[in-house]
Amino acid sequence: MPFPGGGVYLNMERYLYPMVVKYCYNQNARLIENWCVDQNQKPLFRLTNTPSGTVPVYVNGTSFNTPMASFLVIIERSDSMTDAEWLAAAINKYEFDPKKIAAGIQAQKE
């Protein structure tokens, strides 16, 4: 689902996590913090979890709450954005911190 001026949100079942990690590595990238970053330390996508909770359901005038499972949420660059726009959105909207990424890469090397 694209958002104006932002990324594309993908919600998926949590059991797909290993495939998402493999996809990241297949892009010659790595996971640092909750970001898949390329060799130039630029963000490809962000991986998070939605909290589980309850959802109100209305059936025949009766309401009740039903449990909602948590999902993996991937936020990636929309095709309508340039790389520079995606980097700015990642930093300003999605908490991408280049300093944390650089520190995470350095920690993986040690």
Side-chain angles (χ1 to χ4, degrees):
M1 171 185 320
F3 286 84
V8 176
Y9 285 65
L10 304 169
N11 292 319
M12 56 184 58
E13 296 287 339
R14 295 179 66 179
Y15 73 87
L16 295 171
Y17 179 79
M19 289 180 222
V20 173
V21 171
K22 186 175 180 179
Y23 174 76
C24 178
Y25 293 148
N26 286 343
Q27 306 302 311
N28 292 322
R30 62 175 96 187
L31 283 171
I32 305 290
E33 299 283 322
N34 59 339
W35 285 92
C36 177
V37 295
D38 67 13
Q39 295 173 339
N40 297 318
Q41 300 180 14
K42 302 295 184 209
L44 298 178
F45 61 85
R46 180 181 178 193
L47 180 62
T48 61
N49 288 300
T50 61
S52 58
T54 59
V55 176
V57 177
Y58 300 96
V59 178
N60 294 330
T62 304
S63 69
F64 58 94
N65 289 325
T66 186
M68 179 182 77
S70 65
F71 291 96
L72 287 176
V73 178
I74 296 175
I75 305 169
E76 64 180 353
R77 182 178 71 88
S78 169
D79 288 343
S80 63
M81 300 176 80
T82 65
D83 289 342
E85 289 171 330
W86 168 237
L87 179 59
I91 291 170
N92 297 322
K93 287 181 147 184
Y94 305 117
E95 302 171 3
F96 181 76
D97 185 345
K99 290 179 184 176
K100 280 187 181 178
I101 300 300
I105 290 171
Q106 185 60 35
Q108 283 185 352
K109 289 181 181 178
E110 295 173 354

